[in-house]
Amino acid sequence: MRGEGGNYYAEYPIKAVKFDLEVTDHSAKNKAMGTKGDLSNIASATVTDEVQKAFLDAPLVFDFIPDLTVDPVVKDNAGTTTYVKNTDYTVTEYGIIPLESGSIVDESNIKVSYTKIAQTKLEALVAGDIEYRVILFLKNKALNDKRIKFTGYKGKFSPMSGQAYITTDIGTLKFEGQLIADENITGTGLSKFYSELVQD
């Protein structure tokens, strides 16, 4: 009687090193990283005669985030009539609401002048693939807060899998990504993907 043996040889090549992150910092840079986006800075300045279409009793949103300490100036399209705040329109955090009880004509073009605050604009899904170094500073709560430093040498992010704008909890940005081999790292025993430093 002869028993059958196991495999003489087995190989398990690494196909991918993937990671998931949940970030509570909703900075423009983090959002750009998670949306393959491009950022541009917009300086505070005066916006003059921005043309908008007015719909009565409906929010009219300016092209930029306005400075709430400076009242907008609202005129008809010809620029000959200046409308009155709280009579013809009310001010909101992002623009105005033309009032049906006022003298603004429904579905007419009007001109708004206001001061825009400094702001950052994100254009999503235009930047293509960008490689990042992924460094995480962690603490192991189960081992008296011993510190861990994780370094991923070359990472790429896919578009964010989730972003909660309306929530009762702290909103998170959900990232998925993959570490790829860094061919610049050479030497015996050195990982091309990532390393960790763990406090003894």
Side-chain angles (χ1 to χ4, degrees):
M1 182 177 179
R2 187 178 72 177
E4 295 295 333
N7 295 332
Y8 285 102
Y9 176 76
E11 184 176 348
Y12 301 96
I14 296 174
K15 295 181 179 179
V17 180
K18 298 181 179 180
F19 59 89
D20 297 324
L21 295 175
E22 289 194 15
V23 180
T24 56
D25 182 359
H26 287 236
S27 69
K29 288 184 178 180
N30 280 346
K31 289 186 178 182
M33 184 171 60
T35 61
K36 298 182 183 293
D38 185 53
L39 298 177
S40 59
N41 294 321
I42 299 173
S44 176
T46 299
V47 179
T48 303
D49 290 342
E50 178 181 289
V51 178
Q52 296 279 358
K53 178 164 281 191
F55 295 91
L56 299 183
D57 288 342
L60 185 154
V61 180
F62 297 164
D63 289 345
F64 302 95
I65 300 175
D67 183 345
L68 297 179
T69 65
V70 182
D71 282 338
V73 176
V74 182
K75 297 182 179 182
D76 65 356
N77 196 41
T80 56
T81 300
T82 300
Y83 298 113
V84 180
K85 176 184 174 181
N86 294 330
T87 298
D88 298 311
Y89 64 90
T90 57
V91 177
T92 70
E93 290 190 353
Y94 296 98
I96 63 170
I97 296 178
L99 300 176
E100 187 173 4
S101 58
S103 55
I104 297 177
V105 178
D106 191 30
E107 297 189 34
S108 66
N109 287 333
I110 61 175
K111 291 180 178 178
V112 294
S113 298
Y114 59 96
T115 299
K116 61 183 176 182
I117 61 172
Q119 49 208 273
T120 302
K121 186 176 185 180
L122 166 66
E123 295 285 357
L125 302 174
V126 298
D129 284 335
I130 299 176
E131 296 173 353
Y132 296 90
R133 174 161 288 203
V134 181
I135 301 177
L136 303 176
F137 300 101
L138 310 168
K139 287 187 177 181
N140 189 334
K141 292 293 184 182
L143 293 175
N144 299 318
D145 284 340
K146 287 189 175 182
R147 291 172 292 168
I148 302 170
K149 178 189 175 187
F150 171 94
T151 303
Y153 300 121
K154 188 182 289 187
K156 286 189 176 182
F157 291 92
S158 61
M160 287 187 302
S161 60
Q163 177 181 351
Y165 281 100
I166 301 175
T167 175
T168 56
D169 300 319
I170 297 176
T172 58
L173 307 177
K174 296 182 180 180
F175 294 90
E176 295 179 357
Q178 182 170 316
L179 297 178
I180 59 178
D182 187 346
E183 298 300 335
N184 293 319
I185 298 177
T186 58
T188 303
L190 297 180
S191 171
K192 294 181 181 295
F193 294 92
Y194 73 91
S195 65
E196 291 185 8
L197 294 174
V198 181
Q199 180 182 353
D200 289 336

